[in-house]
Amino acid sequence: MMLHEKAKFFKALGDQTRLAIIGCLLKNDHCACDFATITGKDQTTVSRHLKILFEAGILKYEKEGRYVIYSIIDDNMKDKLENCGVEKLDSCCSDNAADADAKKKVVKEKYGKIALDVVQGCGCCEDLTKEEISTSIGYSFEDTQSFSAANLGLGCGNPTAIGDIKEGDIVLDLGSGGGFDSFIAARKVGKTGKVIGVDMTEDMVARARKNAEKYEFNNVEFRQGDIESLPVEAGSVDVIISNCVINLASDKSKVFREAYRVLKNDGMMYVSDMVLLNDLTAEQRNDEDLICACIGGALLKDDYLGAIKDAGFNVRIIDEDKDIGENQYSGYPVMSLKLKAFKAEV
C-alpha cells in the first residue's frame, strides 16, 4: 500500500460513524438507505461517510434496481480491518432505531400536553405570549386574532406568507398542530381548494378538528400520521407547507422523500425550520428539552439543504433569521431557515 493510500485508510478509520458502518458490513452487506438508522445520522451525513470509505478503498457498492448495496471490497480488506481492531457488529439497527423511537415518544408526549393546555409552548421562549411569538416570526395581527384558539405560540416563521398558495390548490400542512397554518391556507385556497393537515399526536389532531368546527371550515381535513410516512396519495398535492416541525423528525431524508412523492409535478414546498450554525454536543442532542424545543434534533444548515436536494428538489433560500437564536433560543447556535423547494417535472 502506497503512503498516501495508507493515510486515506487510517484517516477513514478515525471516525466512530465510519467504524460503525464498517463493523456492520463486516457482518452483512447493507443498502445505503440502512445506514441512517444504523448510525443515527441523517442520510446526507451518511453519504459523505460512505464516500470517504469508498475513496479509501475499503468499500465497494453495486446497484440493484433503485437500491445501492454496500460491502467490504474483498476478504483481504476484511482481514486487514479485523487486524486493526475493528469489531463486527451483530445488531446494527436495534439500538439506534430504539433511540429514534424514544425521541419520537418524547416529542409526542410533550406536544400532546401542549394540545391539552397542560403546558404552554415548547419551552424556548417562555417570557413571550403566544401572540408576541407569532407576530415576531411573521404572522399578522389579523392572523393571530382570527384563529386564536389554533395559535399555540409555536413555530419559527410563517410558511403561508412566503408560499404561493392559489385558489383551488390542494395544500398539505406537515405537522399541523392546532391547525393555525392550515386555516390561514384554507382562506387562500377557497371553497374549490382543500387543506390536509398531518400530525402524529392524537390530542393535537383532535384539537385541530375541534378548531375546524369552531371556525366553520369545510375545506380542511386533519389526519393523524407520521410525516416520515405520509397518509397521503402520491402526486395529489399542489403545495406543501411546514413550520418548525421537520427538525423534530428522526429521519429528515424520509420526510423530504415523502414530500416529493405526494407533490404533483411542478409542485412547491415552503418550509420554515430550525437549522444549526454549529454542531451540538452528544449530551445536547440527547437532551429531551432541547429536542422538544426544536434544537436537539436540528441539522446543520448544509446537511439540511443536502437532504432536500437528495430527495430530488431544487431549492431556493428565501430568508435566514440568525437573530432568533439570541432572541428566542437562549443563545444556542441556531437559525430559522425559510425556503422554497421545487419538484422538477419528470
Side-chain angles (χ1 to χ4, degrees), residues 139 142-144 146-152 158 160 165 171-173 176-190 194-197 204-222 241:
Y139 292 95
E142 181 189 358
D143 291 334
T144 62
S146 297
F147 308 117
S148 58
N151 178 19
L152 302 178
N158 181 358
T160 54
I165 299 172
V171 176
L172 174 63
D173 184 5
S176 46
F180 189 40
D181 289 319
S182 295
F183 299 142
I184 297 173
R187 289 194 302 194
K188 294 188 174 186
V189 303
K194 182 178 180 179
V195 178
I196 302 167
M204 199 67 87
V205 171
R207 178 166 182 161
R209 288 171 177 167
K210 183 178 178 180
N211 286 333
E213 292 180 8
K214 173 183 175 70
Y215 296 120
E216 299 181 343
F217 277 109
N218 297 317
N219 60 342
V220 183
E221 176 189 355
F222 293 101
I241 57 174

Side-chain angles (χ1 to χ4, degrees), residues 272-331:
S272 178
D273 209 359
M274 299 304 296
V275 295
L276 297 174
L277 299 174
N278 297 304
D279 211 348
L280 302 175
T281 65
E283 182 179 5
Q284 288 172 328
R285 284 207 169 276
N286 290 309
D287 185 293
E288 293 183 0
D289 290 333
L290 290 182
I291 292 168
C292 292
C294 304
I295 299 172
L299 294 178
L300 290 165
K301 173 188 169 183
D302 288 346
D303 290 344
Y304 191 95
L305 294 173
I308 303 176
K309 292 172 183 176
D310 286 348
F313 286 103
N314 295 318
V315 181
R316 178 167 69 85
I317 295 174
I318 295 174
D319 185 57
E320 300 177 343
D321 180 2
K322 297 180 180 179
D323 295 329
I324 198 169
E326 287 294 334
N327 295 338
Q328 295 185 22
Y329 287 86
S330 303

Side-chain angles (χ1 to χ4, degrees), residues 72-336:
I72 305 299
I73 196 163
D74 56 32
D75 289 340
N76 287 334
M77 180 58 69
K78 288 182 180 180
D79 290 340
K80 185 179 297 183
L81 292 166
E82 291 186 46
N83 289 335
C84 287
V86 181
E87 297 181 1
K88 295 181 181 179
L89 299 181
D90 292 312
S91 180
C92 293
C93 300
S94 59
D95 288 344
N96 286 294
D99 183 56
D101 288 342
K103 290 179 179 179
K104 188 171 291 187
K105 183 179 178 182
V106 166
V107 172
K108 287 183 74 172
E109 288 177 352
K110 177 62 177 283
Y111 285 87
K113 290 178 180 178
I114 293 174
L116 296 172
D117 289 326
V118 175
V119 297
Q120 298 294 321
C122 61
C124 60
C125 36
E126 294 174 349
D127 293 335
L128 301 176
T129 67
K130 293 184 292 185
E131 291 75 17
E132 286 172 337
I133 294 168
S134 296
T135 54
S136 73
I137 58 178
Y139 292 95
S140 68
F141 179 77
E142 181 189 358
D143 291 334
T144 62
Q145 295 304 302
S146 297
F147 308 117
S148 58
N151 178 19
L152 302 178
L154 303 172
C156 57
N158 181 358
T160 54
I162 62 175
D164 183 17
I165 299 172
K166 302 183 295 295
E167 188 170 349
D169 278 346
I170 307 298
V171 176
L172 174 63
D173 184 5
L174 302 184
S176 46
F180 189 40
D181 289 319
S182 295
F183 299 142
I184 297 173
R187 289 194 302 194
K188 294 188 174 186
V189 303
K191 294 181 179 179
T192 60
K194 182 178 180 179
V195 178
I196 302 167
V198 174
D199 200 284
M200 71 174 179
T201 309
E202 183 178 358
D203 290 323
M204 199 67 87
V205 171
R207 178 166 182 161
R209 288 171 177 167
K210 183 178 178 180
N211 286 333
E213 292 180 8
K214 173 183 175 70
Y215 296 120
E216 299 181 343
F217 277 109
N218 297 317
N219 60 342
V220 183
E221 176 189 355
F222 293 101
R223 303 175 185 176
Q224 185 176 0
D226 195 322
I227 62 173
E228 295 177 20
S229 181
L230 287 167
V232 179
E233 184 180 350
S236 62
V237 174
D238 296 295
V239 178
I240 292 175
I241 57 174
S242 185
N243 185 5
C244 211
V245 169
I246 298 173
N247 71 80
L248 297 170
S250 300
D251 191 333
K252 282 77 167 168
S253 293
K254 280 187 178 179
V255 176
F256 294 127
R257 290 197 298 271
E258 278 291 275
Y260 192 89
R261 178 184 68 82
V262 303
L263 273 175
K264 298 177 183 179
N265 288 338
D266 289 334
M268 306 290 181
M269 178 168 64
Y270 298 93
V271 175
S272 178
D273 209 359
M274 299 304 296
V275 295
L276 297 174
L277 299 174
N278 297 304
D279 211 348
L280 302 175
T281 65
E283 182 179 5
Q284 288 172 328
R285 284 207 169 276
N286 290 309
D287 185 293
E288 293 183 0
D289 290 333
L290 290 182
I291 292 168
C292 292
C294 304
I295 299 172
L299 294 178
L300 290 165
K301 173 188 169 183
D302 288 346
D303 290 344
Y304 191 95
L305 294 173
I308 303 176
K309 292 172 183 176
D310 286 348
F313 286 103
N314 295 318
V315 181
R316 178 167 69 85
I317 295 174
I318 295 174
D319 185 57
E320 300 177 343
D321 180 2
K322 297 180 180 179
D323 295 329
I324 198 169
E326 287 294 334
N327 295 338
Q328 295 185 22
Y329 287 86
S330 303
Y332 280 97
V334 293
M335 174 178 72
S336 173

Side-chain angles (χ1 to χ4, degrees), residues 47-60:
S47 295
R48 289 206 299 267
H49 287 299
L50 289 171
K51 182 180 180 182
I52 290 170
L53 291 169
F54 175 77
E55 291 178 347
I58 296 173
L59 304 187
K60 63 180 180 180

